[in-house]
Amino acid sequence: MKEEDRIRKTLGTENPFRVPEGYFEQLTSEVMERLPEKERVVTHETTMWERVRPLIYLTAMFIGAALIIRVASSHYTPPADDTEVVAAVEEEEAEMEYIDMAMENAMMDDYSLYVYLADAEGEQ
């Protein structure tokens, strides 16, 4: 703070930058006068191909996506019987029961939750 006070005493607190009277009122008109005239840009007429090209590209993209999906799904064979699927779902639901119980008791610290889950795995 002492150095700042010394600088203020030496130089003063007055703003040294000045702007002539009416400078900003005339600035816009002076800048506009100095700009070169704009040249008219001649645009060409768009052809039918230039208008249709994005639609054709979009159509080709969707056809390609449909073909990829068709090829990828042609190798899929559903399971012979639904018992495998049902067994997998039941097993997953049984595992989720332990997770649901653990989530209900979420007020436990990490170690207690680990011990609880380790005991649940040992019971199976």
Side-chain angles (χ1 to χ4, degrees), residues 9 17 29 33 38 40 43 46 49 54 56 59 64 76 81 83 85 88 91-92 99 105 110 117 120 122:
K9 281 183 183 178
F17 301 104
S29 61
E33 288 173 7
K38 234 183 189 181
R40 287 193 65 94
T43 59
T46 58
W49 169 246
I56 291 174
T59 305
Y76 175 74
D81 55 2
T83 56
V85 174
E91 182 180 331
E92 184 177 334
I99 294 174
N105 299 325
D110 291 340
L117 292 174

Side-chain angles (χ1 to χ4, degrees), residues 85-104:
V85 174
V86 171
V89 169
E90 287 176 357
E91 182 180 331
E92 184 177 334
E93 287 177 359
E95 291 175 5
M96 290 302 290
E97 286 180 23
Y98 292 112
I99 294 174
D100 289 339
M101 280 189 259
M103 292 304 292
E104 288 174 8

Side-chain angles (χ1 to χ4, degrees), residues 45-100:
E45 290 186 32
T46 58
T47 62
M48 182 66 152
W49 169 246
E50 289 174 340
R51 281 186 264 148
V52 175
R53 184 172 43 189
L55 297 174
I56 291 174
Y57 290 164
L58 184 66
T59 305
M61 181 193 65
F62 280 114
I63 290 172
L67 288 174
I68 289 172
I69 291 171
R70 173 102 176 177
V71 167
S73 65
S74 66
H75 296 359
Y76 175 74
T77 55
D81 55 2
D82 291 336
T83 56
E84 295 173 14
V85 174
V86 171
V89 169
E90 287 176 357
E91 182 180 331
E92 184 177 334
E93 287 177 359
E95 291 175 5
M96 290 302 290
E97 286 180 23
Y98 292 112
I99 294 174
D100 289 339

